[in-house]
Amino acid sequence: MGKTACRYTISAIGKGGEMYYTYCRDKQELKKWIADNQDKLSTHELKITDKYKKTFLTWFSLKN
């Protein structure tokens, strides 16, 4: 199995209590996955991590 470059990690909880954990290579794939699964997901329990974003910047980024 080859090594793939996955940039985004998605961790989410579904409306029925299901747990989702997946990887996406780019922003288009990320948006498509969210659009395809939007009816199953609880949007306030959705966490997306960008592997390429500097850790220092994530400490000071604003969260809603």
Side-chain angles (χ1 to χ4, degrees):
M1 191 187 285
K3 186 175 180 181
T4 59
C6 296
R7 180 174 179 168
Y8 299 100
T9 303
I10 303 170
S11 177
I13 297 178
K15 291 180 180 176
E18 305 92 352
M19 294 181 67
Y20 296 94
Y21 188 76
T22 189
Y23 302 100
C24 294
R25 285 184 224 120
D26 54 17
K27 196 174 243 185
Q28 291 81 18
E29 187 177 348
L30 174 69
K31 287 181 180 181
K32 183 182 180 316
W33 187 89
I34 292 172
D36 291 345
N37 296 295
Q38 187 172 13
D39 57 332
K40 299 180 213 173
L41 299 174
S42 176
T43 55
H44 63 279
E45 294 292 333
L46 179 67
K47 182 179 179 187
I48 300 169
T49 306
D50 186 352
K51 262 179 40 177
Y52 297 152
K53 190 173 183 181
K54 300 291 183 198
T55 306
F56 182 74
L57 294 175
T58 59
W59 291 343
F60 296 106
S61 64
L62 298 175
K63 291 186 178 183
N64 294 332

